[in-house]
Amino acid sequence: MSPYLAEFLGTMLLIILGDGVVANVLLRGTKGENAGLLTVVVGWGLSVTLAIYAVGSISGAHLNPAVTLALFVNGDFSGSHVAGYVIAQMAGAFAGAIVVWMFYLPHWARTEDAAKKLSVFCTGPAIRSFPSNLLSEIIATMVLVLGILFIGAYKFAEGLNPIVVGALIIAIGVSLGGTTGFAINPARDLAPRIAHFILPISGKGSSDWSYSWIPVIGPLIGGLLGSWIFKALFI
């Protein structure tokens, strides 16, 4: 399997399980309705773990343009593959969002709150303040990239790394996820937002394009900061 196809499939799996747990918690009439933030955070952590297990040996399981860019800046990834990885990640996230829409098809019409429907696909701020929201995404993604680089610097028992990275996602979610929903991944937010815009979702409302740049620019900046800090202080 090519690494680009692996990134596509890994990111698609990430979104199917990650957006899937949000849908299970937010949409009306599901078995998991109102299960709460902790369920969402744990679900996202497990989705990352499984996606890494699925394609990590093939592509390295970046699954995130911010991680791909950070690894390139850190000297751990070839620049010739950056564009291909990002395109594959965006396409995989878009495909995953479509699968989630189809899976929960009867529940969209039953859910009256358009904001909840949008939240299945992408993040939004608890309090809308673009400077604060941007800072939240920068810091959370900086922690993500630093954590990934710290984990990579240690030797774990074979097969343990994906579990540790999943635990990192859970830690970020419970500690830093309360302000913006911790997108920490441009593909995870932008591609499903585009899917929300295109899909015929009953009563879906706005895709909130005025906010959409925050979970793209913030993670890219945060990823670069994390890479630079690691290089400056730990190498």
Side-chain angles (χ1 to χ4, degrees):
M1 184 187 298
S2 81
Y4 301 122
L5 179 57
E7 282 295 297
F8 170 85
L9 293 174
T11 310
M12 182 174 70
L13 181 60
L14 172 73
I15 298 302
I16 290 172
L17 296 177
D19 281 3
V21 70
V22 179
N24 193 25
V25 169
L26 293 184
L27 297 183
R28 289 289 303 274
T30 70
K31 298 290 187 179
E33 186 178 358
N34 298 321
L37 177 62
L38 186 58
T39 299
V40 171
V41 170
V42 172
W44 269 106
L46 293 174
S47 72
V48 170
T49 294
L50 184 56
I52 296 173
Y53 273 127
V55 302
S57 63
I58 303 169
S59 68
H62 296 187
L63 314 175
N64 182 341
V67 171
T68 297
L69 183 60
L71 292 177
F72 164 65
V73 170
N74 200 46
D76 295 326
F77 188 67
S78 171
S80 64
H81 297 306
V82 169
Y85 265 51
V86 171
I87 292 170
Q89 291 155 4
M90 288 289 293
F94 182 81
I98 292 175
V99 172
V100 171
W101 168 68
M102 292 189 297
F103 189 92
Y104 284 96
L105 200 57
H107 297 271
W108 302 105
R110 291 194 178 190
T111 305
E112 297 177 356
D113 191 336
K116 288 185 177 180
K117 296 176 186 179
L118 178 60
S119 294
V120 171
F121 294 88
C122 53
T123 61
I127 298 175
R128 186 172 291 256
S129 169
F130 285 175
S132 295
N133 303 151
L134 182 64
L135 183 62
S136 290
E137 286 294 332
I138 289 172
I139 292 173
T141 313
M142 180 185 70
V143 172
L144 170 69
V145 169
L146 278 171
I148 290 172
L149 294 173
F150 291 152
I151 291 166
Y154 287 88
K155 297 293 184 182
F156 290 91
E158 186 176 359
L160 187 59
N161 287 59
I163 296 174
V164 180
V165 175
L168 171 64
I169 298 299
I170 293 172
I172 292 172
V174 296
S175 300
L176 305 176
T179 55
T180 62
F182 74 116
I184 59 174
N185 182 341
R188 168 266 177 277
D189 196 278
L190 181 58
R193 192 183 298 267
I194 294 171
H196 174 274
F197 178 74
I198 293 173
L199 290 170
I201 303 167
S202 175
K204 65 181 178 181
S206 167
S207 299
D208 197 8
W209 292 109
S210 65
Y211 179 79
S212 64
W213 64 277
I214 297 284
V216 174
I217 300 300
L220 291 176
I221 295 173
L224 290 174
L225 282 175
S227 177
W228 288 332
I229 290 171
F230 184 82
K231 287 180 68 176
L233 300 181
F234 299 100
I235 296 181

